[in-house]
Amino acid sequence: MINITIQNIEEETAVLDVQQFEGHSLMEALKSSGYDLLAACGGMALCASCRIEIEKGIGALAEPFGQELDTLDVLPDAAISSRLSCQLKVNQEMDGMHIRIPKS
Ligand code: FES
């Protein structure tokens, strides 16, 4: 099991087992599970419409780099907890992570 606690844009919280998406992007796991992410660029780290905030467990993730870092750098309200879910591969280290999908 890879359980992730997710707060959606309505501020409702649920626990989702994303084990079946291991090796795929977290964006794909969220969209396939019915979460409302536009993901307009299709996972190219260009649009930021798949952005999430890591509320707990950010230490389990590698630092952003390359295009993800470039895109996050130009977001006016990005924080250290901000990540592009299309650039995060689902893996066992994510078990117990808490994320939030921001309103915009
Ligand atoms: S889908 Fe566009 S940045 Fe992730």
Side-chain angles (χ1 to χ4, degrees), residues 41-102:
C41 74
M44 302 292 288
L46 297 171
C47 69
S49 63
C50 69
R51 172 184 166 185
I52 57 172
E53 299 299 323
I54 311 295
E55 303 287 340
K56 178 184 167 195
I58 198 164
L61 302 176
E63 296 283 319
F65 66 97
Q67 186 60 52
E68 181 184 13
L69 186 58
D70 290 348
T71 298
L72 289 170
D73 271 349
V74 297
L75 292 179
D77 57 345
I80 195 82
S81 60
S82 303
R83 297 300 299 262
L84 302 179
S85 62
C86 69
Q87 300 303 301
L88 303 175
K89 289 273 188 277
V90 174
N91 64 67
Q92 293 289 334
E93 304 301 312
M94 290 182 170
D95 188 41
M97 183 174 286
H98 290 212
I99 69 171
R100 178 173 57 84
I101 300 173

